[in-house]
Amino acid sequence: MGTILPPLLRMLFPGHRRHFTFTRQHVPMPEPPERLNLYVHIPFCRRICAFCPYVKQVYASGVALSYMEAMRTELQRYRDAWGDRPVESVYFGGGTPSLAPEIVNRILESISGSLRSSTEIGVEVHPIDVRPRLLQSLIESGVTMVSLGVQSFDDRHLAMLGRGYDARQAYEASELIMSAGFAAVDIDLIFAIPGQTEQEAVTDVSTAFALGAHQVSAYPLIRFAHTSLGSQLSNAHASSPSWNKERRMLKAIVTQGRDAGYERSSIWSFTRPGAPRYTTVTRDSFIGIGAGASSRMGDYFWVNTFHVDEYIRSTESGTPARLATRLDEGDRMAYWLFWRCYDTIIDHARFRSAFGRNMPRRISAALMLLDHAGLARRASHSAFRLTDPGAYLFHLIEKHYTHAYLERLWTACLHDPWPEAVTL
Ligand code: SF4
């Protein structure tokens, strides 16, 4: 598959470059956006899961307090430059934001002048944290959406993933969070877990659908070299499902979602018709606050240092350097197109509003080609929607990009707080 994908990628995502180099640099303050999308990274967890590739460390209250102040300083720099811009969305990810609801509350207080009644405020919640008091605190802070990281409703698979709770706790947490009154509850699941059968993957998603979640997201387990999952699997003589079994699982999950009356809202998510969608980095532009947070705004894509101590030190001591790459218009279009394919809908009208011009002919031609190949079909006069085979192709592309881009960037940034340059 690896030999087929690169030519396909160049056809679908016609950027000008084969390589991106991120260098350590000062990123100029972008022009103030009309509406701001924020991502806030809270890198603290109760324990570390074997498969987890994200920026995280075990919670310690002193570090968490200093970290919160550093994030407020980082946010204030934007506010000094831009004033109280209206915030369209703010998502707290991690890590485990629900372990530190006081940080969520304090950050929201800092930007209260920019919040509107329509602002989406989303928080990732760990099942162990789901208690009436936490839910009440999130609602009082203004949180409207939550994403519950259940991962599985099966004891065996929860143990394999090292989650620290069992299926009964996962189910009870889901029921409680569903009754708390949030505008949207997303339940996150993982499929293609070593040893998981197709039926078990289907049972997991159908449990989440039956609970009435507004959105159910089922992500394939992707093994990152820097996690301990690989060695754990070798010790247990377990291996990941074959690509064909993973394909069958995804197909069965999609069928289950449709049968339950959900719409496919991304290659890995299903949303109840009319429900708000829980989504973070798929936005056209956003600012990330905190260690390891990425931002995409103006001509740049950049990431903050992945090291929590360095993040606190450098933020408090002045403008921190970032690892950044400059994007020309072709790159920005490729980036936009990548995430619209992830959404499974590519809309000419949305392109025009993002770029102020019509889609270039080469992109329209690629869409027509996908249409002829049965990988996309017209959904309206201005939009194409990926068909199931098209969405499966993009599932493969997304996995390829995760290893070719994210994993390489993250590995370098986890290894060294300030790499001079990373070429992808
Ligand atoms: S998967 Fe979630 S809870 Fe587990 S270590 Fe990663 S961020 Fe923490």
Side-chain angles (χ1 to χ4, degrees), residues 44-45 47-49 51-54 56 94-96 126 151 163:
F44 305 112
C45 296
R47 52 190 283 163
I48 304 303
C49 309
F51 67 94
C52 177
Y54 307 118
K56 78 285 173 184
T96 310
H126 192 287
Q151 318 310 1
R163 295 293 289 168

Side-chain angles (χ1 to χ4, degrees), residues 401-417:
Y401 266 66
T402 299
H403 286 300
Y405 290 90
L406 282 189
E407 182 172 23
R408 283 161 72 179
L409 182 64
W410 291 5
T411 303
C413 292
L414 285 166
H415 178 70
D416 180 350

Side-chain angles (χ1 to χ4, degrees), residues 270-319:
F270 306 88
T271 306
R272 256 175 31 197
R277 187 175 161 212
Y278 192 103
T279 181
T280 54
V281 294
T282 65
R283 295 178 185 263
D284 296 346
S285 72
F286 58 93
I287 291 289
I289 303 291
S294 57
S295 303
R296 157 77 197 94
M297 188 162 276
D299 293 343
Y300 288 88
F301 184 99
W302 70 91
V303 290
N304 290 347
T305 178
F306 278 40
H307 289 232
V308 170
D309 291 348
E310 267 306 303
Y311 171 76
I312 296 169
R313 194 197 56 73
S314 63
T315 305
E316 295 297 3
S317 68
T319 308

Side-chain angles (χ1 to χ4, degrees), residues 63-257:
V63 180
L65 197 63
S66 308
Y67 183 78
M68 178 179 76
E69 289 309 324
M71 287 201 300
R72 279 162 44 83
T73 303
E74 189 184 11
L75 254 180
Q76 191 56 42
R77 287 210 182 94
Y78 291 111
R79 290 164 56 75
D80 289 346
W82 296 341
D84 275 344
R85 309 303 298 179
V87 172
E88 182 169 281
S89 69
V90 48
Y91 282 87
F92 293 84
T96 310
S98 56
L99 196 53
E102 67 288 355
I103 299 185
V104 172
N105 188 37
R106 196 85 175 93
I107 294 292
L108 289 174
E109 272 176 10
S110 327
I111 55 169
S112 58
S114 301
L115 300 177
R116 303 289 181 266
S117 58
S118 59
T119 305
E120 290 172 17
I121 304 178
V123 175
E124 289 175 5
V125 176
H126 192 287
I128 288 181
D129 295 325
V130 176
R131 301 218 166 79
R133 205 161 135 207
L134 170 85
L135 302 178
Q136 188 60 30
S137 148
L138 294 178
I139 284 188
E140 283 169 8
S141 298
V143 172
T144 57
M145 310 169 101
V146 282
S147 175
L148 184 67
V150 166
Q151 318 310 1
S152 176
F153 290 102
D154 184 304
D155 284 340
R156 202 162 49 92
H157 302 313
L158 287 170
M160 157 69 77
L161 296 170
R163 295 293 289 168
Y165 52 86
D166 61 19
R168 184 186 51 80
Q169 286 169 292
Y171 192 84
E172 287 174 2
S174 307
E175 280 190 316
L176 195 55
I177 212 165
M178 283 302 306
S179 64
F182 294 104
V185 175
D186 163 76
I187 292 183
D188 268 5
L189 297 166
I190 292 177
F191 72 98
I193 301 168
Q196 188 181 38
T197 65
E198 196 179 312
Q199 186 51 50
E200 286 167 341
V202 168
T203 301
D204 271 352
V205 289
S206 42
T207 303
F209 292 132
L211 278 158
H214 301 85
Q215 179 171 306
V216 177
S217 302
Y219 301 99
L221 181 63
I222 298 180
R223 281 165 67 169
F224 285 74
H226 64 263
T227 66
S228 60
L229 183 68
S231 52
Q232 188 179 307
L233 293 179
S234 310
N235 293 341
H237 303 292
S239 57
S240 299
S242 67
W243 71 269
N244 197 28
K245 185 172 175 188
E246 182 184 279
R247 182 187 61 77
R248 288 200 311 271
M249 280 183 178
L250 182 57
K251 193 171 176 200
I253 288 168
V254 172
T255 303
Q256 199 67 30

